[in-house]
Amino acid sequence: MSRILLAPSILSADFARLGDAVAAAERGGADLIHVDVMDGHFVPNITIGPPVVKSLKKVATVPLDVHLMITDPDRYIGAFAEAGASMISVHVEVLPHLHRTIHAIKALGAKAGVVLNPSTPVVDISEVAADVDFVLVMSVNPGFGGQSFIPRSESKVAEVRALLDSAGNKALVEIDGGIDMKTVSRVVKAGARMLVAGNAIFGTSDPERAARELKAAATAAL
Ligand code: DX5
Ligand code: ZN
């Protein structure tokens, strides 16, 4: 039974004080820092690019988990890897040559993840189940922090776990969207081991404490 990896999402942090946000998350037990990259095309919001990742890399002591919500990830994976992304995840919805992209990310020295939107079926990753380093299940429609968890995501996590197991792949399942003290144990029981949380951590007055409590609740559900 693998342990819980907590990945606080800085999307809900104060962008003028990202270094402080990373430090607080790390003091609270963050295992990764989740970085949400949005291009205003794939999702209706725009966030950050490689220069910010490069600056985060200088202050973070844990790996950066970079979630690309962009229409043309092939064009940018090199820049994000060079900026310091240890993990790069790409959406299956925009990639006709997903197998090639996964191996391109690995060739850059980063862990390769594939992401499923809530409306995307698990079967869409069946042919790459042996190739991926992790799978990210979106439990909200991507674009914004602070949205409500979509309950159907729970069985989807279990379905992805079963697919990876059948491929003999120990890759972890990550979940992203609406993870808080109410939803965390359900997704852990379903098989999620990497937990992204933005609003539940940075939407509070004490992110360090919120991270610590969320990770403890997740670990208790193992
Ligand atoms: C949503 C992003 C998430 C977001 C999660 O598009 O991919 O990583 O920050 O935020 P919460 O935890 O607030 O749902
Ligand atoms: Zn994300």
Side-chain angles (χ1 to χ4, degrees):
M1 181 87 66
S2 42
R3 70 186 185 94
I4 294 294
L5 297 178
L6 183 66
S9 163
I10 55 166
L11 182 64
S12 292
D14 178 351
F15 272 34
R17 300 173 60 220
L18 286 180
D20 295 344
V22 168
E26 290 183 353
R27 286 194 306 273
D31 300 284
L32 308 164
I33 297 294
H34 186 83
V35 182
D36 288 303
V37 175
M38 305 184 186
D39 66 354
H41 292 274
F42 179 62
V43 290
N45 198 2
I46 301 176
T47 55
I48 64 176
V52 177
V53 172
K54 192 175 175 187
S55 294
L56 289 169
K57 180 68 184 166
K58 291 184 190 142
V59 297
T61 64
V62 297
L64 300 180
D65 169 29
V66 176
H67 174 192
L68 298 182
M69 286 160 277
I70 63 180
T71 51
D72 193 0
D74 288 322
R75 196 169 152 194
Y76 296 101
I77 53 178
F80 282 103
E82 197 176 328
S86 299
M87 300 162 62
I88 297 177
S89 57
V90 292
H91 275 260
V92 306
E93 298 85 8
V94 294
L95 288 165
H97 310 293
L98 185 58
H99 178 273
R100 178 191 290 155
T101 304
I102 290 165
H103 289 281
I105 293 170
K106 289 181 168 185
L108 290 163
K111 299 275 185 215
V114 293
V115 195
L116 298 166
N117 272 339
S119 65
T120 304
V122 175
V123 68
D124 284 15
I125 58 166
S126 61
E127 297 301 325
V128 295
D131 300 281
V132 294
D133 291 316
F134 64 103
V135 175
L136 172 49
V137 173
M138 286 309 301
S139 40
V140 298
N141 290 294
F144 304 95
Q147 302 181 83
S148 297
F149 179 81
I150 297 172
R152 161 83 183 142
S153 317
E154 202 177 324
S155 58
K156 198 170 188 184
V157 165
E159 212 183 313
V160 170
R161 182 67 268 155
L163 172 68
L164 292 168
D165 289 346
S166 71
N169 190 346
K170 293 193 190 319
L172 298 184
V173 180
E174 181 173 33
I175 189 151
D176 184 1
I179 300 304
D180 58 20
M181 293 297 272
K182 287 195 201 78
T183 53
V184 72
S185 56
R186 282 157 57 188
V187 298
V188 169
K189 285 192 168 70
R193 292 295 177 271
M194 288 195 282
L195 308 176
V196 178
N199 192 54
I201 293 175
F202 294 109
T204 73
S205 56
D206 189 346
E208 175 185 341
R209 180 175 166 185
R212 189 177 296 117
E213 289 180 356
L214 193 60
K215 191 172 173 181
T219 304
L222 281 174

